[in-house]
Amino acid sequence: MKTLPIAIAICLLLPACKGDDPNAAAQAAQQQVQAQEQAAEAMAKQFEEAVAAQNWPLAKAHGDILQIRYPSSAAAVRIKPALDGIKAKAEVAQQEKRLAALWTYGDEAVKGGSQLSASLYSQEPVDTDGSGSRPVRLIFRDHPDWGRSSYLVLEAGDFDCYAGCKLKVIADGKTHVLPGSRPKTDEAIAMFIDDHKALWKLVKNAKQLSIEFPTKAVGKKTAEFEVGGLDATQLPKWN
């Protein structure tokens, strides 16, 4: 058959039969590298903008993604020396945000003006009556008629402090003794820390605070508080 040699000859003349053009393949590879470098530079720009804004968590996110997607790019190599420091700052920022979220602030309209408050719950629940662990709440209050006060509130049991008591308060490892008193009221299971000025000063300058208090049912108990996220400006007259 004469058609077979002719078909072979035609095939030899076609690029598809000869194989891919090496120059075209190299050009395509170069274009891909350029596209990746451009994408990496765009991501690096986002990283640098976040750094300039001191948005450390966002900067960390952009930096991490850049290192994962384009690890050998010029942009990834350029920002890598700064990335460890950015990660450390991001962790600090996230911790500060977590601590700030532990606090709750109130601004309630009452007779004579506004009642302001700042409060947070204990880091771990405490068993104050033998029936199981429950949160203990620390509250700072500024009332137009009653003035300023600081106190603990229980959800169960009672404080053994009706005649007054001494409370061991530890702020960042340093021990202090503050007076306490349990008012004769059924409105809440509350005990005042009478030296509210001293307690406020400790809380403002501490990261960790513990208060040991006497209970009627189970003796002395301790509540731990992560106080480092306090926004003291919420109670302006206290500062």
Side-chain angles (χ1 to χ4, degrees):
M1 295 178 64
K2 295 181 179 180
T3 55
L4 183 59
I6 295 173
I8 294 173
I10 294 173
C11 184
L12 291 174
L13 296 174
L14 296 175
C17 295
K18 291 182 178 180
D20 293 336
D21 183 351
N23 292 331
Q27 186 177 8
Q30 181 63 26
Q31 290 174 346
Q32 184 178 12
V33 170
Q34 290 176 349
Q36 290 178 345
E37 288 290 341
Q38 289 175 354
E41 286 296 337
M43 196 168 292
K45 183 180 179 181
Q46 292 177 315
F47 168 82
E48 290 160 357
E49 289 173 348
V51 170
Q54 297 187 356
N55 188 336
W56 309 122
L58 183 59
K60 175 184 178 297
H62 286 312
D64 285 343
I65 294 172
L66 176 55
Q67 296 298 323
I68 292 170
R69 290 186 180 177
Y70 311 109
S72 59
S73 66
V77 173
R78 185 175 70 250
I79 73 161
K80 191 172 184 179
L83 196 53
D84 286 343
I86 298 300
K87 288 180 178 180
K89 290 179 179 179
E91 290 176 2
V92 171
Q94 289 171 342
Q95 175 71 347
E96 289 176 347
K97 184 178 180 180
R98 184 188 71 82
L99 291 173
L102 298 177
W103 285 90
T104 300
Y105 304 97
D107 185 351
E108 181 183 355
V110 296
K111 184 179 179 180
S114 296
Q115 174 180 273
L116 303 179
S117 64
S119 65
L120 82 165
Y121 286 99
S122 55
Q123 191 172 351
E124 298 292 340
V126 181
D127 186 356
T128 54
D129 68 346
S131 67
S133 298
R134 294 177 176 84
V136 178
R137 196 177 188 190
L138 172 62
I139 301 175
F140 294 93
R141 183 184 64 193
D142 192 346
H143 192 280
D145 290 334
W146 306 332
R148 299 168 206 164
S149 55
S150 58
Y151 51 99
L152 294 177
V153 176
L154 303 181
E155 294 185 359
D158 199 356
F159 295 102
D160 189 14
C161 192
Y162 283 91
C165 57
K166 298 294 183 181
L167 307 172
K168 183 168 73 173
V169 179
I170 301 177
D172 289 345
K174 295 182 179 180
T175 301
H176 308 263
V177 178
L178 300 180
S181 61
R182 169 74 164 104
K184 294 181 179 180
T185 176
D186 295 328
E187 292 183 6
I189 310 172
M191 179 190 66
F192 288 107
I193 295 92
D194 293 329
D195 193 347
H196 59 271
K197 292 182 180 179
L199 184 63
W200 178 255
K201 185 177 180 180
L202 291 176
V203 169
K204 277 181 61 178
N205 296 289
K207 294 181 179 179
Q208 191 76 23
L209 184 91
S210 69
I211 302 176
E212 183 185 80
F213 54 89
T215 68
K216 283 188 171 182
V218 289
K220 291 183 178 180
K221 288 291 181 176
T222 300
E224 299 273 354
F225 300 93
E226 292 182 283
V227 296
L230 172 67
D231 179 4
T233 64
Q234 296 288 336
L235 295 179
K237 293 181 180 179
W238 286 66
N239 302 308

